[in-house]
Amino acid sequence: MLTQDKEQDKKQINWKPIIKKFIAVLGEKGVVKRREELLTYECDGLTSYRQTPPVAVLPRTTEQVAAIVKICNQYSVPFIARGSGTGLSGGALPSEDSVLIVTSLMRQIIKIDLENQRAVVQPGVINSWVTQAVSGAGFYYAPDPSSQIICSIGGNIAENSGGVHCLKYGVTTNHVLGLKLVLPDGSIVDVGGQIPEIPGYDLTGVFVGSEGTLGIATEITLRILKSAESICVLLADFTSVEDAAATVSDIISAGIIPGGMEMMDNISINAVEDVVATNCYPRDATAILLVEIDGLEIEVDVNKKRVAEICKKNRARNITTANDPETRLKLWKGRKAAFAAAGNLSPDYYVQDGVIPRTQLPYVLNEIEALSQKYGYPIANVFHAGDGNLHPLILFDNSVHGALEKVEELGGEILRLCVKVGGSISGEHGIGADKKCYMPDMFSDADLETMQWVRQVFNPQGLANPGKIFPTPRTCGEAAKASIQQFPGVEKF
């Protein structure tokens, strides 16, 4: 927690010489300092909290990032890296005394090496661009968050993002071979390499998911995969959430690992049909299950029949299958648009990101419904069913006084429920500023201290994304007070 004296010091930062040095590195167009322009960067996808930064910089090269960070280090000014701003945990939330280093202009695909199945990209490259660049040769990049057409690789690295295909192919960390990093003192280092296994400490693994607290990735070596020979998507609808959840467990128990397995409840089904109008999702279904099978043609033919039999055994009403790319895309379209469609249901929504064991799905979903009734807020459930990564969307109206606080309390109860059944408080959205007060519910004091030692090695002055991930106090109430001190100008909306 910052002392009052330190806060006073931070408020007395003389930005003129700092901005002058930024301009010397980036030119006038690379430095954003007008307040009306800075409003663009006042929050990420977690829009409930906003703070306008005093300055934002837009570098294009590793060397420029290093020069900016060295200036911040020289003046002991905190800095926060930001990609496309699609994060949902407040990881890119500025503080009133910080420099925002925006990587959106670092969007070059530097190298594509199909023979060795890798690509080197800058952090501002949009996720879907990687697949677009290699799809003509029969390759693709596996991690595919729902926001993949707008989220950047740098942000995916920071949050260790997942997606609908993470069940079989893993999250971002499973597809990163190496990184070029700018550390918080401005030095440039390389970790990992061009091959999957490097001797020594897995520093690449340490950095992926560190949420900008250890430095900034400026070049990323990604693993790309060969496209499957055959792909089939099955859509099954159920009159019971329990039956849909049992189907998920039964498919995995049968030794079948789908490329993706997603579930949506009735609220979500109707939301996407209202907005996207796929005409694929039965509006009266209690839940639907999307299962993608990929591999060799003979393997897919066998497994799609087995999956269909398991769905029928668990009382699926209807099963639709699609092998051609156009129909497969149509079946997935609603799921990919679920978060956006939720915005049509209420003025605001608050999304959480917990993980539970698959076998706990029926119990946890019933408990979430009970919490919804208790607090009086509808909850739409959309989630990566195969690996138990829940995304409950709590619908509310932020203009109602006190609603946000109640919704945050409800979200906290859902996260504690996930931990209680043996799960996690985050699967892919990160901790950021939003969930840091729940870290002690999942980790012991010794665990948190060990993590802080790691951060201290890379970030001894605490300048890289301060106030994120780790709570200073143990309770959420105390953490909220600490947040006000760490981010004194942050506004709730």
Side-chain angles (χ1 to χ4, degrees):
M1 187 183 300
L2 299 176
T3 65
Q4 188 171 0
D5 289 340
K6 285 185 179 180
E7 285 181 38
Q8 302 253 341
D9 290 341
K10 286 180 178 291
K11 290 176 182 177
Q12 295 172 3
I13 292 174
N14 181 2
W15 287 103
K16 286 186 178 180
I18 300 172
I19 291 174
K20 187 176 180 180
K21 289 192 174 186
F22 289 163
I23 293 172
V25 174
L26 302 175
E28 287 281 354
K29 291 184 178 180
V31 181
V32 181
K33 49 189 186 295
R34 294 174 58 187
R35 179 171 174 80
E36 57 268 32
E37 294 176 335
L38 288 167
L39 289 174
T40 302
Y41 306 111
E42 66 180 357
C43 66
D44 57 13
L46 182 70
T47 58
S48 301
Y49 294 89
R50 303 183 187 188
Q51 167 64 49
T52 306
V55 62
V57 295
L58 291 90
R60 294 175 182 269
T61 67
T62 297
E63 291 71 26
Q64 288 179 342
V65 173
I68 294 298
V69 170
K70 283 179 181 177
I71 295 168
C72 292
N73 192 55
Q74 176 188 350
Y75 287 91
S76 297
V77 173
F79 61 89
I80 297 165
R82 175 192 169 99
S84 295
T86 59
L88 293 165
S89 62
L93 178 70
S95 60
E96 67 177 3
D97 58 0
S98 63
V99 175
L100 208 60
I101 302 177
V102 183
T103 61
S104 57
L105 296 184
M106 301 180 71
R107 51 193 180 198
Q108 291 185 349
I109 296 179
I110 299 168
K111 181 181 178 182
I112 294 174
D113 181 357
L114 297 178
E115 290 185 349
N116 292 297
Q117 296 188 218
R118 61 190 181 219
V120 182
V121 306
Q122 288 187 307
V125 168
I126 300 303
N127 177 290
S128 62
W129 293 359
V130 182
T131 292
Q132 290 171 14
V134 299
S135 60
F139 290 85
Y140 73 107
Y141 178 60
D144 56 345
S146 295
S147 58
Q148 70 179 134
I149 61 171
I150 51 173
C151 66
S152 64
I153 293 294
N156 294 171
I157 296 293
E159 306 295 348
N160 194 19
S161 301
V164 300
H165 289 100
C166 61
L167 171 61
K168 185 174 184 177
Y169 295 104
V171 292
T172 297
T173 190
N174 302 110
H175 300 271
V176 178
L177 298 173
L179 298 164
K180 186 178 289 293
L181 306 174
V182 174
L183 299 182
D185 64 355
S187 58
I188 301 171
V189 300
D190 291 285
V191 298
Q194 302 294 314
I195 58 176
E197 300 297 334
I198 299 291
Y201 295 118
D202 181 14
L203 296 179
T204 304
V206 170
F207 190 87
V208 177
S210 62
E211 302 191 32
T213 62
L214 306 183
I216 302 173
T218 57
E219 289 184 17
I220 303 111
T221 302
L222 300 173
R223 185 201 314 268
I224 54 176
L225 303 180
K226 197 78 174 70
S227 300
E229 179 181 287
S230 178
I231 303 173
C232 178
V233 177
L234 295 90
L235 169 64
D237 67 89
F238 299 83
T239 58
S240 158
V241 169
E242 289 78 8
D243 287 342
T247 303
V248 172
S249 294
D250 288 350
I251 289 171
I252 301 298
S253 297
I256 302 168
I257 306 297
M261 188 155 48
E262 304 286 304
M263 191 187 297
M264 297 169 60
D265 68 5
N266 183 263
I267 298 177
S268 302
I269 291 167
N270 282 280
V272 298
E273 285 297 338
D274 286 343
V275 173
V276 183
T278 68
N279 297 317
C280 297
Y281 302 171
R283 287 182 176 271
D284 62 340
T286 302
I288 62 167
L289 196 62
L290 281 161
V291 185
E292 182 170 289
I293 307 293
D294 63 356
L296 298 175
E297 187 172 351
I298 188 170
E299 176 188 11
V300 171
D301 286 343
V302 170
N303 281 337
K304 73 178 181 182
K305 292 174 184 175
R306 295 174 65 198
V307 168
E309 289 170 0
I310 292 170
C311 291
K312 290 175 183 175
K313 186 190 77 172
N314 285 292
R315 294 171 288 280
R317 293 191 311 178
N318 303 286
I319 301 170
T320 303
T321 61
N323 289 82
D324 64 285
E326 185 178 344
T327 309
R328 293 201 319 262
L329 183 63
K330 188 176 181 181
L331 290 180
W332 276 119
K333 187 177 181 181
R335 169 59 186 92
K336 288 285 189 176
F339 280 19
N344 199 46
L345 295 176
S346 70
D348 302 280
Y349 69 81
Y350 181 77
V351 62
Q352 273 300 357
D353 166 46
V355 183
I356 60 172
R358 284 184 295 269
T359 54
Q360 295 292 331
L361 275 172
Y363 169 73
V364 170
L365 291 175
N366 283 330
E367 288 295 302
I368 289 175
E369 176 58 27
L371 288 170
S372 172
Q373 297 294 327
K374 173 184 173 183
Y375 282 85
Y377 293 101
I379 300 177
N381 288 289
V382 181
F383 51 96
H384 307 313
D387 55 358
N389 189 183
L390 307 180
H391 294 314
L393 294 97
I394 307 169
L395 310 177
F396 74 108
D397 185 349
N398 206 4
S399 67
V400 176
H401 179 70
L404 177 59
E405 287 76 10
K406 283 291 184 183
V407 164
E408 287 177 323
E409 185 180 334
L410 170 53
E413 289 216 40
I414 292 174
L415 293 180
R416 290 193 177 101
L417 172 64
C418 292
V419 174
K420 174 186 170 184
V421 299
S424 166
I425 61 174
S426 179
E428 58 175 336
H429 292 176
I431 302 301
D434 181 40
K435 291 184 280 188
K436 63 181 184 177
C437 67
Y438 302 107
M439 288 286 277
D441 291 291
M442 185 172 177
F443 297 104
S444 69
D445 290 343
D447 294 332
L448 293 172
E449 184 178 0
T450 302
M451 294 180 203
Q452 291 276 26
W453 277 112
V454 174
R455 183 169 71 167
Q456 184 75 8
V457 169
F458 288 87
N459 184 17
Q461 292 193 63
L463 297 181
N465 211 7
K468 310 292 171 59
I469 302 181
F470 302 106
T472 301
R474 283 194 56 83
T475 68
C476 283
E478 291 171 354
K481 294 176 184 176
S483 294
I484 293 171
Q485 291 182 317
Q486 288 171 336
F487 302 98
V490 169
E491 298 177 79
K492 278 191 176 184
F493 281 77

